[in-house]
Amino acid sequence: MSINKKSHFLRSLWSFVLFFLLFFLLQRLLVPKYMGKVLEGAFTGEYYRAKERHDVLFLGDCEVYENISPVTLWEEYGIRSYIRGSAQQLPSQSYYLLEDALRKEKPAMVVFSVAAMQQGEQTMESYNRMTLDGMQWSRYKIAAIQDSKLPEEHTIEYIFPLLRFHSRWSELSEEDFRYFWNCPSVSFNGYYLRADVRPLQDFPNERPLRNPSLPEVSYEYLDRIRECCEREGIVLLLFKAPSLYPVWHDAWEEQIENYAEKYGLPYLNSLADLEATGIDFGTDSYDGGLHMNVYGAEKLSRYLAPKLREFADLPDGRGLEEQENWEALVKAYEEEKARQEAEFKEIGYIRRFS
Amino acid sequence: MPLISYSFPLFLLILLILYYLGPRKAQGIILLLGSFLFYLGSGPLGLLFLMFAIFSTYFLAIQMGKERAKSQELIKERGLKGKEKREAEAPYRARIRLFLILGLFLNFGMLVFLKYRFFILENLALLFSIPDIQTGMDGNTLFSVLFGSGLLLPLGISYYTFQSSAYLIDISKAKMTPERNLFRYALFVCFFPQITQGPISRYEELMPQLSEPHAFQRDNVESGLFRMLFGYAKKMLIADRVSVLVAALSENPSQYCGVYILLSILSYTLFMYADFTGGIDIVLGAAKLFGIRLPENFDHPFFSRSLGDFWRRWHMSLMRWFREYLFFPLSMSKVSKCLSSFFRKHFGNAAARRVPLYFSSFLVWFCTGFWHGASWGFILWGLSNCVVLLLSQELSPLFQRFRKRFPWTESHGYHAFEMLRTLLIFSLLEMFEYYPIRSIPGLWGSLFFSFRIFELLNGSFPSGIMKGPEWILLLLSTACLVATGFLSQKKSLEERFLEKSQEGRLAILGILFLCVLVFGVYGQGYEASQFVYNQF
C-alpha cells in the first residue's frame, strides 16, 4: 500500500474510532441510571459485581426483592443468598436470569416467587427495560428479549439503548452526569431496603377472577426452571410471600399446590402461615400491607431460614473465605438502615432509598 | 417498508453490497428484486396493483410500437407522401390512440377508484340524498369489500400511475420506441427510492441510468449518504417536531386570535417543506448510492418572489407532468380552439386569448388540488392558487410599470419583501388543506383584523406542547435550515460536501448521523408519522 493510501486509511480509521467513541459516550449519558426515585432498574446489573458465592438464589418480582433480607439470612444463619429480582419480572425472565446466573455460579437452591405466575405477558415496556438492560450479553439475554418484548419494542433498541433513550436529551439531570462512569450499588444483594412505615390499610374489593387458570406460558417457563434445576442438581423451592394485596386467589393456590405435588417440589406459602412469620402489618410494611419494610423483611427471613435448610444442605457461610465481603455488606446495610430510620423519624418520610 | 424504520437502512446496506459485489450485468435485476421486496413491505395486495400498472402499460406500449412499425413499413413500401401518407397512417394512429385511451383509462381508473371512491360516493349520496351509504360500506357485501375502508390505498400509486402513463403518452407521440425488456421497464416503474413520494421521472432521463452498469464510486456513496442524512434531519428534527405545534394550534382555531393563526399557518408551511423536501432528499440520496441521479424536485421555493415563480420551484416533477401532459394538450385541443373562436366572435381578441388559458388553468389546478387530497378543501386549495396566478398574470403589466417607476423595487429589501409576501400567500392558501372550509373566512378575518400580537407575551400561549429544550432545538434547526438554503443558492450542499477532505466528509456524516439519532423524533412515545406525501 502506498504511503498516501496508508495515511488515508489510517485517518479514515481514526475518524471511525472517534465516531464510535462519541456514539458510546452519548449512549452512556442518555441511558437512565436508576439512582434517583426509581432504583429497581439498577438491580439486575448489580449481581455481576458480587464477588462472593451464593448458596441460595431468589427469583421473582417485588415479592422477593422487597420481602427478604439476604443480610439477615447471612448474619444470623450463615445462608449466603442473592435476590435476582426485578419489577414485574415474568417467569420467562426468571428462567433466563437463572441460566445467566449459572454461567457464574451454581447455587444449592433456587427459590421462585410464584406470585409472578399470574403474569404471562408483559404489560409495560419499562418493566422489561428494568429487568433486561442490566443483563450481560449472552444468548440468554437475547432469548429473554425475544420472549419478553412487546410489539412496539425492537431488539436493536436493546443492542443500542441510545435508540430507545435518545429522547432523554431534553430531560438530562445532574444524576446522569454524576453517575456517568459508574453507579454505586443501591441494593443489598438484590434487596431493596426501606425503613419507612405505613400501617395496614383497607384495600379495594378484588374483582372476581374471569379466568382462574394461570397462563400456559407461565407454566412453560416454570417447567424450564424446574428442568434446569434438575439438570444442575439444584433444589427448587416454590415460595409465596405474605403480601395482602393483590389477592392471591384460592384457585391459583390450588394450581401451585398441584404442580408442587406433581413434581415433588417443596412449596412454602408464608401468607398462609402469617402468624408463624411474626409479621405485624402495623409496623412491618412501608405501603400498607403490599410489601414489607426492612423490619418485616428481617422477620420473614428469620422465618424462612430454617425452612430453607429443611430442603437443602446449605453450609454455614460465616467465617469462610469471603467473610470480608459479607461483613462489608452488613456494615453498609446497617448504616443505610440507620440513616433511613433517622430520616423517617425526623421528617416522616424518606427522601432517597440508596 | 417505511423510509423511517430500522429495517430500511439494513435493507439498503444489503442491497448495496449485492449491487456492487455482484456481477455488473445483474445490477438491474438486483435493483428490481430489491424494489419488489421494498414494496412488499407495504402489503401483498399493493404489489398486485403495481404489477397491473407495469404489465398493462408495458404491453400497450408494445402494441403501440407495433402499430407504428406497421404504418412506417407500409409508407416506406409504397413510398407514400403528403396526404396519401396521412390517410394511410390514419387507421394506425386511431389504434394507437385507442391503446393509449385504454391504458390511461385502466390506470387512472384504478387510481380514481382506489383513491377517490369514498369522496365520490359521499358526494353522490349528498347529491341524490342516499342516507344509508355508510352502512353499506361497513357491511359484508361485495359493495363493502370494494367500497369499504378495508381496501387500502396502495403505496405510491399516484406516482407510479403518473410515471407509467407519461411513458405511454410519450410512446403514443413517437418520442421514443417502447422498451422491449419487461424487467427493465418494471424497474423504471417501481424503482424503490422514488416509488413512495416521487419525483416523477421521465423515461428518457431514468432508463439509460438504470440500464448501464455502475462501478462503485466513493463520491456517490458518500454524497448519497450525506443527502439522506440531511433529509432525515429535516424530517425527524424539524417536520415531526413542528407537527406537534401545528396539531395543537389547528385543533380548535376559533379560540385563537390572529397571531396564533399566523403561527399555525407558518408552522404548517415549515412542516410541509421540511417533511416533503426531507423525504425527497432521502429518496435522491438513496438513488445516488447506486449511482442513479433522479431529477430534483425543489429549487429553493421560498426564495421565490411571486407565486408563479414558487410553483416553478416546488414539486417540480409533478408540475412538469401537469404542464406537459395536461395543460399544453388542453391548451392546444379542439375544445380550446372552439372556445377561442367563440369568444373572438362575440367578445373580441382579449377574451379569445384569455378564456382557453383560464379554462386549461382551472382544469389543471382542479386536478392538482384533487391529486393532493380527496376533499373539497384540496380542490379549493388548487383553484385558489389558480385564481391568484391568473390575477398576477393580469396585473403583470401594472407591476412592471410600478417597478419601472420606483427603482427601489430592485433593492434586496424589496426582494425580501416579495419573498415574504409569497410565503404568506402560499401559507394562507394552504389553510384550505387542513382547516374546515367554513372556518377559513373567519380565520382570515382574525388574521387581518384581530391580530393581537401581544397575546404571545401574556401567557395565553398553549402550554405543554413541547419542553423548553425542544423549542430551542426547533428554532436552532430551523435557523440551520434557512442558513443552508442561503448557502446552497450559489453551490449545492452536495457539491460543497464533495469539496471537503475525506476526514471532513466523515466528520460531517458522523455529526449528522448522531444529531438524527439523538434529537430525531422517533421511537416509542412519538407518533410514527410517515411522510405526508406517502399517502399519494
Side-chain angles (χ1 to χ4, degrees):
Chain A
M1 203 190 273
S2 68
I3 292 172
N4 264 346
K5 273 190 180 171
K6 194 177 176 183
S7 146
H8 182 79
F9 171 76
L10 282 171
R11 288 204 305 268
S12 299
L13 188 65
W14 264 120
S15 302
F16 278 109
V17 166
L18 273 169
F19 167 76
F20 282 113
L21 187 64
L22 197 55
F23 179 92
F24 283 109
L25 287 174
L26 274 171
Q27 184 164 270
R28 181 69 209 144
L29 179 66
L30 291 167
V31 294
K33 312 297 183 296
Y34 302 112
M35 292 285 117
K37 286 185 184 160
V38 177
L39 302 177
E40 285 90 330
F43 293 172
T44 304
E46 284 179 10
Y47 171 70
Y48 303 102
R49 286 188 229 163
K51 303 257 187 318
E52 64 283 353
R53 279 181 48 183
H54 309 104
D55 298 308
V56 180
L57 199 66
F58 292 92
L59 299 171
D61 55 15
C62 48
E63 291 224 340
V64 285
Y65 73 72
E66 298 209 79
N67 294 342
I68 297 166
S69 169
V71 169
T72 303
L73 286 175
W74 182 81
E75 205 179 7
E76 297 179 24
Y77 299 92
I79 294 175
R80 300 175 292 190
S81 66
Y82 200 101
I83 304 173
R84 284 215 91 179
S86 55
Q88 203 152 294
Q89 187 180 104
L90 304 175
S92 61
Q93 292 167 341
S94 300
Y95 165 68
Y96 289 115
L97 283 167
L98 169 61
E99 290 279 18
D100 178 59
L102 292 175
R103 295 188 309 137
K104 181 179 152 163
E105 60 184 346
K106 188 157 104 172
M109 174 182 261
V110 163
V111 178
F112 174 68
S113 168
V114 295
M117 287 289 287
Q118 47 184 295
Q119 196 83 42
E121 278 163 8
Q122 196 53 275
T123 53
M124 277 179 69
E125 180 243 1
S126 49
Y127 291 132
N128 274 349
R129 280 287 169 181
M130 288 196 284
T131 301
L132 301 174
D133 274 343
M135 275 180 88
Q136 281 181 350
W137 279 103
S138 68
R139 59 193 171 104
Y140 301 116
K141 178 166 179 173
I142 295 168
I145 292 167
Q146 295 302 114
D147 288 354
S148 315
K149 67 180 182 180
L150 295 168
E152 60 268 26
E153 292 188 273
H154 302 273
T155 306
I156 195 167
E157 289 172 345
Y158 281 90
I159 300 170
F160 300 111
L162 175 65
L163 297 174
R164 175 61 189 90
F165 298 115
H166 66 95
S167 56
R168 293 191 72 246
W169 71 268
S170 58
E171 303 160 3
L172 289 174
S173 65
E174 184 240 335
E175 179 185 307
D176 290 293
F177 293 92
R178 195 200 292 182
Y179 302 113
F180 182 89
W181 293 114
N182 50 44
C183 303
S185 294
V186 296
S187 74
F188 300 91
N189 275 25
Y191 169 61
Y192 182 12
L193 194 156
R194 288 189 68 137
D196 44 341
V197 181
R198 192 147 72 95
L200 175 66
Q201 61 183 25
D202 284 334
F203 296 118
N205 290 330
E206 184 77 1
R207 280 186 234 147
L209 264 183
R210 248 188 272 166
N211 179 7
S213 302
L214 292 165
E216 271 307 312
V217 64
S218 297
Y219 280 113
E220 185 191 321
Y221 284 100
L222 180 56
D223 284 341
R224 289 208 212 178
I225 291 171
R226 176 179 52 77
E227 285 159 8
C228 175
C229 289
E230 276 169 16
R231 188 181 72 232
E232 299 290 334
I234 299 170
V235 173
L236 173 63
L237 172 76
L238 305 180
F239 173 71
K240 177 68 189 77
S243 302
L244 298 180
Y245 192 86
V247 167
W248 177 247
H249 293 276
D250 290 340
W252 294 342
E253 172 70 7
E254 196 182 322
Q255 286 170 66
I256 296 298
E257 280 176 352
N258 290 341
Y259 187 91
E261 194 184 323
K262 183 177 176 187
Y263 293 104
L265 301 173
Y267 171 44
L268 191 58
N269 183 350
S270 60
L271 181 63
D273 203 12
L274 213 46
E275 213 177 298
T277 64
I279 285 168
D280 174 359
F281 282 102
T283 56
D284 295 340
S285 169
Y286 76 81
D287 56 4
L290 275 82
H291 305 95
M292 305 299 115
N293 55 21
V294 65
Y295 315 110
E298 287 174 356
K299 282 181 187 171
L300 186 63
S301 304
R302 289 181 193 111
Y303 161 83
L304 201 52
K307 296 196 187 298
L308 296 181
R309 282 218 160 93
E310 272 178 43
F311 299 110
D313 182 21
L314 304 174
D316 189 333
R318 289 169 294 193
L320 296 182
E321 66 271 16
E322 293 153 350
Q323 178 82 4
E324 269 180 34
N325 293 341
W326 287 101
E327 281 174 354
L329 181 71
V330 171
K331 183 167 180 269
Y333 176 91
E334 294 299 339
E335 280 172 5
E336 178 59 20
K337 186 175 161 188
R339 184 195 70 75
Q340 286 190 23
E341 281 172 345
E343 194 167 72
F344 185 71
K345 198 173 172 186
E346 189 191 329
I347 58 175
Y349 64 93
I350 296 170
R351 275 194 220 105
R352 56 176 183 85
F353 296 99
S354 62
Chain B
M1 186 185 302
L3 295 182
I4 296 185
S5 63
Y6 293 125
S7 46
F8 180 67
L10 182 64
F11 159 81
L12 210 56
L13 179 66
I14 294 170
L15 199 64
L16 267 173
I17 291 169
L18 291 172
Y19 186 76
Y20 285 117
L21 291 183
R24 292 223 186 132
K25 282 185 185 170
Q27 282 181 339
I29 286 291
I30 290 168
L31 277 183
L32 180 64
L33 290 173
S35 298
F36 280 145
L37 193 65
F38 175 86
Y39 200 81
L40 208 56
S42 66
L45 191 58
L47 193 59
L48 278 176
F49 290 111
L50 175 63
M51 301 299 270
F52 176 80
I54 291 170
F55 282 113
S56 61
T57 49
Y58 170 79
F59 282 114
L60 287 169
I62 299 272
Q63 293 310 310
M64 284 197 265
K66 281 181 182 169
E67 292 297 322
R68 179 153 289 111
K70 280 185 210 167
S71 127
Q72 282 169 349
E73 208 182 300
L74 180 73
I75 287 160
K76 192 179 172 186
E77 230 177 69
R78 295 185 190 173
L80 300 172
K81 283 179 185 155
K83 189 181 170 190
E84 283 177 344
K85 181 184 169 195
R86 280 197 300 277
E87 279 171 2
E89 276 178 341
Y92 297 100
R93 276 212 301 271
R95 280 196 287 277
I96 288 171
R97 201 176 304 122
L98 189 66
F99 288 136
L100 174 66
I101 292 169
L102 179 64
L104 295 179
F105 176 77
L106 286 173
N107 285 278
F108 278 101
M110 182 172 73
L111 173 65
V112 165
F113 175 74
L114 290 169
K115 190 169 174 179
Y116 300 106
R117 64 190 188 283
F118 297 132
F119 178 78
I120 294 167
L121 273 179
E122 279 159 11
N123 283 278
L124 284 175
L126 268 172
L127 194 63
F128 297 110
S129 306
I130 308 168
D132 293 332
I133 202 145
Q134 187 58 48
T135 314
M137 288 201 283
D138 294 338
N140 284 321
T141 60
L142 181 64
F143 180 85
S144 64
V145 167
L146 291 175
F147 292 93
S149 53
L151 191 58
L152 298 174
L153 187 65
L155 180 70
I157 188 170
S158 299
Y159 295 103
Y160 67 69
T161 301
F162 273 49
Q163 187 154 305
S164 53
S165 301
Y167 166 77
L168 212 58
I169 294 169
D170 287 345
I171 295 288
S172 73
K173 290 179 181 172
K175 278 190 179 176
M176 58 217 175
T177 53
E179 173 60 57
R180 293 259 156 208
N181 187 317
L182 175 62
F183 298 116
R184 275 218 294 260
Y185 177 71
L187 180 58
F188 162 70
V189 177
C190 70
F191 181 46
F192 77 91
Q194 64 170 20
I195 201 164
T196 53
Q197 53 191 288
I200 301 167
S201 300
R202 277 202 181 108
Y203 179 82
E204 63 267 25
E205 63 193 8
L206 182 58
M207 204 60 232
Q209 296 187 76
L210 293 177
S211 308
E212 68 193 21
H214 296 273
F216 177 84
Q217 284 185 24
R218 204 173 58 210
D219 278 2
N220 280 344
V221 172
E222 286 175 353
S223 62
L225 270 176
F226 169 73
R227 190 102 193 235
M228 286 183 74
L229 285 171
F230 193 63
Y232 278 118
K234 280 190 206 172
K235 164 71 177 164
M236 294 163 73
L237 267 70
I238 299 176
D240 284 350
R241 192 161 266 117
V242 80
S243 69
V244 175
L245 177 62
V246 171
L249 291 176
S250 58
E251 198 183 0
N252 193 5
S254 54
Q255 68 178 302
Y256 295 120
C257 61
V259 67
Y260 288 121
I261 293 165
L262 179 66
L263 189 60
S264 169
I265 65 176
L266 290 178
S267 304
Y268 184 74
T269 299
L270 175 62
F271 163 72
M272 286 297 289
Y273 178 72
D275 189 275
F276 199 10
T277 61
I280 289 296
D281 281 337
I282 296 172
V283 164
L284 265 59
K288 189 90 186 284
L289 293 176
F290 298 93
I292 312 250
R293 206 169 249 288
L294 294 175
E296 293 289 342
N297 223 7
F298 294 89
D299 180 17
H300 308 92
F302 291 109
F303 286 87
S304 309
R305 289 158 55 190
S306 68
L307 196 64
D309 192 22
F310 181 91
W311 285 112
R312 283 187 287 276
R313 297 174 183 233
W314 178 282
H315 207 169
M316 297 190 296
S317 64
L318 181 73
M319 293 296 129
R320 182 179 65 179
W321 196 100
F322 275 121
R323 194 170 53 244
E324 288 181 14
Y325 298 106
L326 193 60
F327 181 74
F328 288 147
L330 266 176
S331 304
M332 294 185 296
S333 66
K334 282 182 185 161
V335 173
S336 285
K337 283 177 184 161
C338 288
L339 273 172
S340 184
S341 306
F342 176 84
F343 277 90
R344 183 174 291 107
K345 194 172 168 185
H346 293 96
F347 300 99
N349 282 337
R353 273 199 313 274
R354 285 173 169 78
V355 169
L357 172 69
Y358 288 9
F359 164 71
S360 307
S361 300
F362 271 103
L363 203 54
V364 165
W365 278 100
F366 175 90
C367 292
T368 307
F370 208 31
W371 183 92
H372 279 81
S375 76
W376 287 110
F378 280 101
I379 293 169
L380 279 173
W381 166 80
L383 293 176
S384 58
N385 270 278
C386 182
V387 165
V388 173
L389 287 168
L390 291 175
L391 207 60
S392 302
Q393 204 166 307
E394 291 300 327
L395 294 172
S396 171
L398 187 68
F399 288 142
Q400 276 171 5
R401 283 204 298 273
F402 180 77
R403 280 193 206 95
K404 259 190 183 168
R405 177 81 173 78
F406 300 105
W408 45 261
T409 53
E410 289 310 315
S411 66
H412 288 309
Y414 190 75
H415 290 177
F417 159 73
E418 287 178 314
M419 289 177 204
L420 277 170
R421 182 190 62 192
T422 306
L423 166 65
L424 261 172
I425 293 171
F426 172 76
S427 303
L428 279 170
L429 298 179
E430 285 280 294
M431 290 171 81
F432 284 107
E433 284 187 12
Y434 61 101
Y435 282 120
I437 297 172
R438 278 185 207 142
S439 68
I440 289 173
L443 294 174
W444 282 353
S446 295
L447 201 53
F448 291 106
F449 303 113
S450 179
F451 194 67
R452 307 208 309 250
I453 192 168
F454 295 108
E455 291 269 328
L456 277 175
L457 305 167
N458 70 358
S460 65
F461 192 85
S463 60
I465 297 174
M466 277 188 277
K467 293 177 232 171
E470 302 236 21
W471 279 108
I472 296 170
L473 178 67
L474 178 62
L475 288 168
L476 276 174
S477 46
T478 305
C480 286
L481 183 65
V482 172
T484 53
F486 279 102
L487 261 179
S488 56
Q489 285 272 78
K490 286 193 181 154
K491 203 186 275 185
S492 74
L493 292 181
E494 233 175 286
E495 283 170 320
R496 288 177 188 272
F497 173 81
L498 286 171
E499 285 170 355
K500 302 275 179 250
S501 65
Q502 187 58 32
E503 296 80 23
R505 291 184 194 181
L506 290 175
I508 291 169
L509 290 175
I511 289 167
L512 260 178
F513 182 61
L514 288 174
C515 282
V516 168
L517 278 191
V518 174
F519 300 119
V521 173
Y522 66 95
Q524 289 200 60
Y526 289 111
E527 214 179 317
S529 57
Q530 283 309 303
F531 293 103
V532 169
Y533 275 77
N534 263 23
Q535 63 185 296
F536 300 104

